[in-house]
Amino acid sequence: MRYTQYFLPTLKETPGDAEVVSHQLMARAGMIRKVAAGVYDYLPLGLRVIRKVENIVREEMNRAGAIELLMPAVNPADLWQQSGRWQQYGKELLRFKDRKDTEFCIGPTHEEVVTEIVRGTVSSYRQLPFNLYQIQTKFRDEIRPRFGLMRGREFIMKDAYSFDIDDAGADVSYQKMYQAYRRIFKRCGLEFRAVEADSGAIGGSFSHEFMVLAETGEDAIVSCDSCDYAANVEKAELRPAASAAPAPALPLEKVETPNMKTIEDVAAFLKETPQKMVKTLILITEQEEIVAVLLRGDHKLNEIKLNNFLGCDHAQLADEETVRKLTGAPTGFSGPIGLTCRVLADLELEGMSDFGLGANEANYHMTGANHGRDFQVEAFVDLREAEAGDSCPRCEGKLEAWRGIEVGHVFKLGTKYSEAMQATVLDAQGQERVLVMGCYGIGIGRTAAAAIEQNHDENGILWPAPLAPFQVIITLLNPKDEAVLKAGEALYEELLEQGIEVLLDDRDERPGSKFKDAELLGIPFRVTVGNRGLKEGCYELQERCSSEKSMLPMGEAAARLTEQVRAALATDPA
Ligand SMILES: [Zn+2]
């Protein structure tokens, strides 16, 4: 592609509403343009990247045996009423009426439509299993669309739906998709983790989120450094303490800790580490039950785990007055000794002895405290948030902490839709069986945006080669110079013949601003063609991800570049 004949409106300024780096860079690089809140044009350069993601997704879905179709964006209300979602789905579902007053919505997902297809066409177990997918534009009326393609209202998605005769079959379909997703994100050249999102009752997990790792990610996740285990911090299980608590060695003593309310302050004052302290949180549930929760001084309470254990919806920190009433002291000095409410302790405390804790008296703490001897605990429960350095719940490895962006989700649906919409087949015995479904999504635009969140620097995008809109940019320093133009065009033609995607920057602009644009666009290989190099029979080569420049002898340039590009594109998906 010649730059002068291309449509590539880059921006010098970042649009004011672009909060995240992928949005900023996509707008500045002329990839997208806002039409309305959460609705974007995909300009030519952006579309090239979208197509790259789509092609990888399509190839791997086909490879896994899934079959492509295309369903309509416009869905009749009738189908959504059959599944019950017309009532359940909130304002995110964009509804409208046609001229005959018939109600419709724009599909944010397509379980209803695909189930209707299957129930109308499949009647025998012999036709199973299969997996239908589409790559299609969807709409979800987010209340606050932002972050560009990361959370738009209109978005391109790959959604797939598997149909099986039974649970065992559905598990096989799920595994196929799980493996296909791993291959997809590896082939995209992205660092990612498959995170357990929800654990089924009988072994195995039935939902995984695929997270692209990026410091700017919204989700906090942990993953094992030696096995495949990864989970959202909120859901990561933790193991009981490695060994039982050593026998108490110290007497219980009360120590004055004037005005020290934080664990860090008290620990420092006592010349201890927060790891030798226990903090006592007083919480109150929506049923107004008061619970004391004990955690190691440096640990964080995971409220979801606590709610699950208590069987409540929402336990929150009790107010000052409740704490005073219960403990006789202001917050910051609570301890379990003498408390009349339920006392729960995190698993970690099972292995602790002779620790410090609050004395239930203003300006005092206790040292040498021991559970069993000085106070009783109702139960030791996994109540804290996982963090880097914790032991993996599955193996002997250690957990690492990351931030992630969800780009894909595989989900074993079961019979929710097939039952509601009566999608059944006859089995080998002639019995009617409800189909078991799975659904599998990938945000196409979101994947492109996440790739930028993961791969950028202060000058622009650093595309992983498989997603780059072009692999090579040839920058002509002075296109008015006949020799420069000729040499640049010759290289351009040679690379095109090798199937390399090349952008020839033949604009009559200052070299500095061309280099800036090249960095902004993030094309992996830049070849500079200028007079000085030509006199020496060379082009200058610079990779976007490195600051080093090297010289390419003109005669070998096309062959060497082709080799380097192919090496960069060859991601091993296995
Ligand atoms: Zn592990």
XYZ file of all heavy atoms in Angstrom, residues 12-73:
477
model
N -2.522 14.237 15.681
C -1.419 14.700 16.531
C -1.859 14.716 17.986
O -1.090 14.458 18.894
C -0.973 16.096 16.102
C -0.341 16.115 14.719
C 1.034 16.740 14.768
C 1.879 16.504 13.520
N 1.234 15.943 12.351
N -3.138 15.045 18.193
C -3.654 15.180 19.559
C -4.480 13.956 19.935
O -5.185 13.402 19.105
C -4.551 16.426 19.666
C -3.881 17.732 19.278
C -2.805 18.152 20.256
O -2.972 17.860 21.470
O -1.803 18.743 19.819
N -4.417 13.626 21.210
C -5.242 12.536 21.715
C -6.648 13.059 21.982
O -6.803 14.102 22.614
C -4.656 12.013 23.039
O -3.334 11.567 22.787
C -5.476 10.875 23.603
N -7.700 12.369 21.489
C -9.065 12.842 21.778
C -9.300 12.914 23.290
O -8.829 12.056 24.037
C -9.948 11.761 21.155
C -9.082 11.046 20.185
C -7.676 11.160 20.683
N -10.021 13.935 23.696
C -10.214 14.195 25.119
C -10.901 13.080 25.877
O -10.657 12.886 27.068
N -11.761 12.299 25.190
C -12.502 11.271 25.913
C -11.767 9.938 25.950
O -12.288 8.965 26.475
C -13.890 11.082 25.278
C -13.797 10.513 23.863
O -12.718 10.622 23.247
O -14.792 9.952 23.385
N -10.555 9.901 25.391
C -9.827 8.623 25.355
C -9.051 8.437 26.650
O -8.003 9.032 26.850
C -8.898 8.584 24.146
N -9.607 7.594 27.540
C -9.002 7.427 28.860
C -7.900 6.388 28.872
O -6.935 6.509 29.600
C -10.071 7.007 29.876
C -11.128 8.046 30.141
C -12.235 7.477 31.008
O -11.941 7.017 32.124
O -13.392 7.471 30.553
N -8.081 5.315 28.118
C -7.098 4.232 28.188
C -6.195 4.270 26.966
O -6.549 4.816 25.917
C -7.770 2.840 28.314
C -8.566 2.745 29.598
C -8.658 2.549 27.109
N -5.022 3.666 27.116
C -3.982 3.822 26.107
C -4.385 3.207 24.765
O -4.067 3.760 23.708
C -2.641 3.270 26.638
C -2.627 1.754 26.673
C -1.486 3.812 25.830
N -5.129 2.097 24.780
C -5.508 1.491 23.498
C -6.454 2.415 22.730
O -6.340 2.555 21.510
C -6.166 0.123 23.706
O -7.296 0.229 24.546
N -7.364 3.054 23.454
C -8.280 3.993 22.817
C -7.499 5.180 22.249
O -7.694 5.588 21.089
C -9.320 4.448 23.850
C -10.424 5.280 23.280
N -11.346 5.915 24.061
C -10.735 5.608 22.007
C -12.189 6.584 23.294
N -11.835 6.423 22.043
N -6.595 5.715 23.052
C -5.793 6.862 22.613
C -5.002 6.527 21.351
O -5.016 7.271 20.365
C -4.808 7.263 23.727
C -5.504 7.814 24.960
C -4.570 7.909 26.161
O -3.400 7.537 26.092
N -5.094 8.407 27.266
N -4.321 5.367 21.384
C -3.444 5.032 20.262
C -4.235 4.622 19.020
O -3.846 4.947 17.899
C -2.461 3.932 20.675
C -1.382 4.407 21.671
C -0.537 3.235 22.161
C -0.485 5.480 21.038
N -5.353 3.932 19.211
C -6.162 3.572 18.048
C -6.726 4.812 17.367
O -6.790 4.880 16.136
C -7.319 2.659 18.455
C -6.916 1.213 18.602
S -8.355 0.216 19.059
C -7.825 -1.378 18.490
N -7.132 5.788 18.170
C -7.657 7.030 17.591
C -6.538 7.793 16.894
O -6.685 8.233 15.752
C -8.304 7.883 18.685
N -5.385 7.914 17.571
C -4.285 8.693 16.983
C -3.710 8.024 15.743
O -3.271 8.686 14.814
C -3.191 8.907 18.025
C -3.541 10.007 19.028
C -2.377 10.288 19.964
N -1.149 10.470 19.216
C 0.066 10.141 19.678
N 0.189 9.621 20.887
N 1.131 10.340 18.946
N -3.692 6.676 15.742
C -3.127 5.948 14.594
C -4.126 5.842 13.441
O -3.869 5.145 12.463
C -2.669 4.558 15.033
N -5.267 6.501 13.565
C -6.233 6.484 12.464
C -6.868 5.125 12.260
O -7.214 4.746 11.148
N -7.032 4.360 13.347
C -7.643 3.034 13.232
C -9.154 3.079 13.439
O -9.890 2.315 12.820
C -7.037 2.078 14.271
C -5.574 1.772 14.046
S -4.923 0.702 15.355
C -5.892 -0.779 15.086
N -9.574 3.920 14.382
C -11.008 4.017 14.681
C -11.407 5.485 14.782
O -10.566 6.363 14.976
C -11.388 3.305 16.010
C -10.595 3.894 17.189
C -11.185 1.805 15.902
C -11.079 3.418 18.564
N -12.688 5.724 14.679
C -13.213 7.077 14.796
C -14.601 6.989 15.409
O -15.420 6.167 14.998
C -13.302 7.694 13.401
C -13.405 9.169 13.401
C -13.396 9.691 11.971
N -14.106 10.946 11.956
C -13.578 12.089 12.370
N -12.329 12.140 12.757
N -14.295 13.200 12.374
N -14.814 7.816 16.414
C -16.083 7.733 17.122
C -17.235 8.304 16.295
O -17.118 9.379 15.729
C -15.976 8.500 18.444
C -17.179 8.317 19.338
C -16.858 8.739 20.743
C -17.684 9.958 21.113
N -17.410 10.383 22.483
N -18.348 7.577 16.254
C -19.543 8.045 15.560
C -20.572 8.505 16.591
O -21.250 9.507 16.426
C -20.164 6.916 14.697
C -21.367 7.441 13.927
C -19.125 6.347 13.744
N -20.700 7.714 17.664
C -21.573 8.045 18.791
C -20.951 7.365 20.001
O -20.010 6.588 19.848
C -22.986 7.505 18.541
N -21.474 7.637 21.188
C -20.905 7.025 22.382
C -20.875 5.501 22.239
O -21.916 4.877 22.023
C -21.729 7.413 23.609
N -19.685 4.922 22.306
C -19.562 3.469 22.237
C -19.787 2.877 20.859
O -19.933 1.670 20.723
N -19.816 3.727 19.836
C -20.022 3.258 18.453
C -18.920 3.865 17.581
O -18.743 5.085 17.576
C -21.413 3.669 17.922
C -21.613 3.186 16.494
C -22.514 3.130 18.829
N -18.189 3.014 16.886
C -17.006 3.474 16.163
C -16.998 3.038 14.710
O -17.509 1.970 14.361
C -15.730 2.911 16.831
C -15.504 3.511 18.192
C -16.111 2.954 19.314
C -14.735 4.657 18.344
C -15.941 3.527 20.564
C -14.547 5.232 19.592
C -15.163 4.670 20.699
O -15.003 5.235 21.921
N -16.352 3.883 13.882
C -15.956 3.453 12.547
C -14.671 2.654 12.691
O -13.806 3.030 13.479
C -15.583 4.677 11.679
C -16.769 5.566 11.379
O -17.802 5.039 10.969
O -16.631 6.804 11.553
N -14.557 1.586 11.920
C -13.264 0.934 11.806
C -12.655 1.472 10.522
O -13.085 1.100 9.430
C -13.420 -0.585 11.713
C -14.134 -1.193 12.909
C -15.510 -1.402 12.890
C -13.427 -1.537 14.051
C -16.168 -1.950 13.981
C -14.075 -2.089 15.156
C -15.447 -2.282 15.107
O -16.090 -2.825 16.186
N -11.691 2.355 10.651
C -11.036 2.915 9.472
C -10.120 1.842 8.877
O -9.866 0.813 9.512
C -10.283 4.183 9.877
C -11.210 5.293 10.445
C -10.405 6.507 10.862
C -12.289 5.668 9.440
N -9.626 2.075 7.641
C -8.925 0.978 6.947
C -7.817 0.299 7.766
O -7.725 -0.924 7.777
C -8.362 1.676 5.709
C -9.372 2.747 5.421
C -9.817 3.241 6.774
N -6.998 1.085 8.445
C -5.900 0.466 9.202
C -6.443 -0.381 10.358
O -5.954 -1.473 10.627
C -4.945 1.537 9.749
C -3.620 0.985 10.256
C -2.667 0.714 9.099
C -2.975 1.924 11.260
N -7.482 0.138 11.029
C -8.093 -0.610 12.122
C -8.733 -1.889 11.622
O -8.615 -2.949 12.248
N -9.377 -1.787 10.463
C -10.044 -2.965 9.909
C -9.035 -4.060 9.569
O -9.310 -5.245 9.741
C -10.851 -2.582 8.663
C -11.704 -3.728 8.096
C -12.747 -4.195 9.091
C -12.367 -3.305 6.785
N -7.852 -3.653 9.101
C -6.823 -4.668 8.795
C -6.496 -5.492 10.034
O -6.327 -6.703 9.959
C -5.538 -4.004 8.280
C -5.646 -3.449 6.882
C -4.295 -2.886 6.434
N -3.410 -3.940 5.988
C -3.241 -4.283 4.705
N -3.890 -3.635 3.756
N -2.419 -5.262 4.385
N -6.405 -4.812 11.192
C -6.083 -5.528 12.432
C -7.255 -6.419 12.859
O -7.068 -7.575 13.238
C -5.703 -4.530 13.547
C -5.468 -5.267 14.857
C -4.478 -3.719 13.144
N -8.455 -5.853 12.756
C -9.656 -6.634 13.087
C -9.697 -7.917 12.245
O -9.959 -9.012 12.748
C -10.931 -5.779 12.815
C -10.997 -4.584 13.771
C -12.201 -6.620 12.863
C -11.284 -4.935 15.206
N -9.403 -7.774 10.954
C -9.418 -8.946 10.063
C -8.351 -9.968 10.452
O -8.550 -11.174 10.305
C -9.212 -8.510 8.607
C -10.369 -7.707 8.042
C -11.587 -8.591 7.718
N -12.629 -7.843 7.039
C -13.813 -7.521 7.573
N -14.100 -7.896 8.815
N -14.694 -6.838 6.894
N -7.202 -9.468 10.913
C -6.141 -10.399 11.353
C -6.645 -11.255 12.509
O -6.465 -12.470 12.532
C -4.900 -9.625 11.823
C -4.223 -8.813 10.744
C -3.177 -9.631 10.044
C -2.797 -8.995 8.732
N -1.439 -8.471 8.713
N -7.275 -10.591 13.477
C -7.797 -11.334 14.632
C -8.862 -12.316 14.149
O -8.846 -13.497 14.492
C -8.381 -10.373 15.693
C -8.941 -11.170 16.872
C -7.329 -9.372 16.182
N -9.775 -11.819 13.319
C -10.853 -12.670 12.814
C -10.308 -13.903 12.084
O -10.805 -15.012 12.272
C -11.744 -11.891 11.834
C -12.663 -10.901 12.509
C -13.510 -10.121 11.499
O -13.347 -10.333 10.276
O -14.311 -9.294 11.947
N -9.281 -13.694 11.260
C -8.749 -14.818 10.479
C -8.159 -15.891 11.380
O -8.362 -17.086 11.145
C -7.688 -14.326 9.487
C -8.330 -13.585 8.326
O -9.536 -13.704 8.104
N -7.541 -12.815 7.612
N -7.419 -15.461 12.393
C -6.841 -16.447 13.321
C -7.966 -17.186 14.033
O -7.963 -18.412 14.154
C -5.894 -15.751 14.322
C -4.651 -15.231 13.586
C -5.503 -16.710 15.452
C -3.745 -14.348 14.428
N -8.954 -16.429 14.502
C -10.086 -17.039 15.205
C -10.799 -18.032 14.278
O -11.079 -19.174 14.658
C -11.063 -15.951 15.703
C -12.379 -16.563 16.159
C -10.425 -15.138 16.833
N -11.047 -17.609 13.052
C -11.782 -18.457 12.105
C -11.005 -19.738 11.807
O -11.563 -20.839 11.839
C -12.047 -17.661 10.824
C -12.901 -18.394 9.807
C -13.248 -17.510 8.624
N -14.363 -16.614 8.910
C -14.298 -15.282 8.904
N -13.142 -14.677 8.641
N -15.352 -14.559 9.172
N -9.705 -19.591 11.549
C -8.895 -20.779 11.232
C -8.903 -21.777 12.384
O -9.008 -22.989 12.179
C -7.448 -20.366 10.921
C -7.287 -19.788 9.528
C -5.903 -19.220 9.275
O -4.956 -19.576 10.019
O -5.770 -18.408 8.350
N -8.787 -21.259 13.600
C -8.720 -22.179 14.740
C -10.089 -22.768 15.091
O -10.176 -23.903 15.546
C -8.092 -21.490 15.955
C -6.607 -21.176 15.766
C -5.750 -22.432 15.536
O -6.114 -23.517 16.041
O -4.721 -22.331 14.834
N -11.135 -21.996 14.884
C -12.482 -22.545 15.110
C -12.741 -23.668 14.100
O -13.229 -24.737 14.463
C -13.546 -21.457 14.977
C -13.559 -20.416 16.091
S -13.808 -21.087 17.754
C -15.528 -21.578 17.666
N -12.387 -23.414 12.837
C -12.583 -24.440 11.811
C -11.741 -25.670 12.122
O -12.195 -26.803 11.981
C -12.213 -23.887 10.429
C -13.181 -22.802 9.978
O -14.249 -22.631 10.562
N -12.806 -22.065 8.945
N -10.516 -25.425 12.545
C -9.602 -26.518 12.878
C -10.184 -27.391 13.989
O -10.008 -28.611 13.997
C -8.270 -25.910 13.329
C -7.162 -26.899 13.519
C -5.884 -26.151 13.908
N -4.766 -27.067 13.971
C -4.480 -27.796 15.024
N -5.235 -27.711 16.111
N -3.443 -28.623 15.030
N -10.905 -26.745 14.932
C -11.502 -27.480 16.051
C -12.844 -28.113 15.659
O -13.535 -28.675 16.506
C -11.681 -26.544 17.245
N -13.218 -27.976 14.392
C -14.434 -28.642 13.927
C -15.698 -27.814 14.041
O -16.793 -28.314 13.763
N -15.584 -26.555 14.468
C -16.768 -25.703 14.544
C -17.150 -25.254 13.125
O -16.316 -25.236 12.231
C -16.510 -24.509 15.441
N -18.432 -24.901 12.952
C -18.952 -24.598 11.621
C -19.497 -23.175 11.601
O -20.324 -22.805 12.447
C -20.083 -25.583 11.244
C -19.611 -27.031 11.473
C -20.519 -25.379 9.803
C -20.756 -27.977 11.760
N -19.037 -22.391 10.619
C -19.421 -20.983 10.592
C -20.780 -20.773 9.932
O -21.097 -21.375 8.913
C -18.362 -20.152 9.859
C -18.629 -18.657 9.960
C -17.484 -17.799 9.443
O -16.536 -18.342 8.870
O -17.567 -16.563 9.624
N -21.572 -19.891 10.546
C -22.800 -19.407 9.917
C -22.922 -17.929 10.266
O -22.007 -17.364 10.869
C -24.028 -20.204 10.381
C -24.301 -20.498 11.859
C -24.131 -19.326 12.768
C -25.675 -21.087 12.047
N -23.986 -17.303 9.877
C -24.180 -15.902 10.239
C -25.636 -15.679 10.607
O -26.528 -15.978 9.813
C -23.772 -14.987 9.075
C -23.798 -13.486 9.349
C -22.877 -13.113 10.516
C -23.378 -12.712 8.105
N -25.835 -15.196 11.824
C -27.199 -14.961 12.307
C -27.495 -13.460 12.241
O -26.580 -12.652 12.165
C -27.324 -15.506 13.734
C -27.218 -17.026 13.775
S -27.348 -17.742 15.424
C -25.630 -17.840 15.912
N -28.773 -13.094 12.272
C -29.098 -11.677 12.129
C -28.825 -10.882 13.400
O -28.952 -11.412 14.514
C -30.601 -11.698 11.837
C -31.086 -12.938 12.497
C -29.982 -13.933 12.400
N -28.460 -9.613 13.213
C -28.298 -8.728 14.366
C -29.665 -8.436 14.980
O -29.798 -8.318 16.192
C -27.623 -7.424 13.929
